[in-house]
Amino acid sequence: MTAPSGRRARTGPAPVDPSKFVHIDRPSNAGLRGAVAVGMFLSIGAGAAALSCALLPFSPEAEILYLVAACIGAVLGAVIFTRSSLRSGRRTREDFVRCGGDPAGMTDTMFGVMRGNRTKNGQWVVPEQSSGDYQGI
């Protein structure tokens, strides 16, 4: 069997001793919580709007159907956001810890909205933002 390679290989030791963690410049927990809240709000709104607008070509007589479709769309938007954020957050957390970062106080959803990646030489880099500050979404 061949050895795994690429981004998903997840090679390298993961530090478990807090004394081995190094300072990695990352956004504050409050900023990441705000990014999670904004992302959730936008995905709920987009899901509600998309599903209620999907009914427009059928022009149903009962207007309650639009409300039902909007509620279903909001739930679907929240589920899709949470699932994708948790999935990518687990991978990002793994990479962050492998680079020596301290994940204390951060949830997987916070890692899901955090930008940054592990380079080939094991460093954690955050892409430069055009505004100069961190934009989580």
Side-chain angles (χ1 to χ4, degrees), residues 14-38:
V16 292
D17 184 15
S19 64
K20 294 183 181 177
F21 287 137
V22 296
H23 175 72
I24 294 178
D25 190 25
R26 66 169 182 86
S28 67
N29 288 350
L32 290 173
R33 281 188 205 105
V36 169
V38 168

Side-chain angles (χ1 to χ4, degrees), residues 33-49 73-74 77-78 81-82 137:
R33 281 188 205 105
V36 169
V38 168
M40 180 67 80
F41 179 75
L42 291 176
S43 65
I44 287 173
F81 173 80
T82 303
I137 55 171

Side-chain angles (χ1 to χ4, degrees), residues 3-12 94-95 98 118-120:
S5 63
R7 184 187 178 326
R8 295 190 177 187
R10 308 283 183 242
T11 59
E94 243 181 71
D95 286 344
R98 287 187 193 284
R118 181 175 57 143
T119 61
K120 291 183 180 187

Side-chain angles (χ1 to χ4, degrees), residues 21 26-30 32-33 93 96 102-111:
F21 287 137
R26 66 169 182 86
S28 67
N29 288 350
L32 290 173
R33 281 188 205 105
R93 176 188 285 269
F96 188 74
D102 185 8
M106 294 181 66
T107 63
D108 287 342
T109 54
M110 291 166 72
F111 274 106

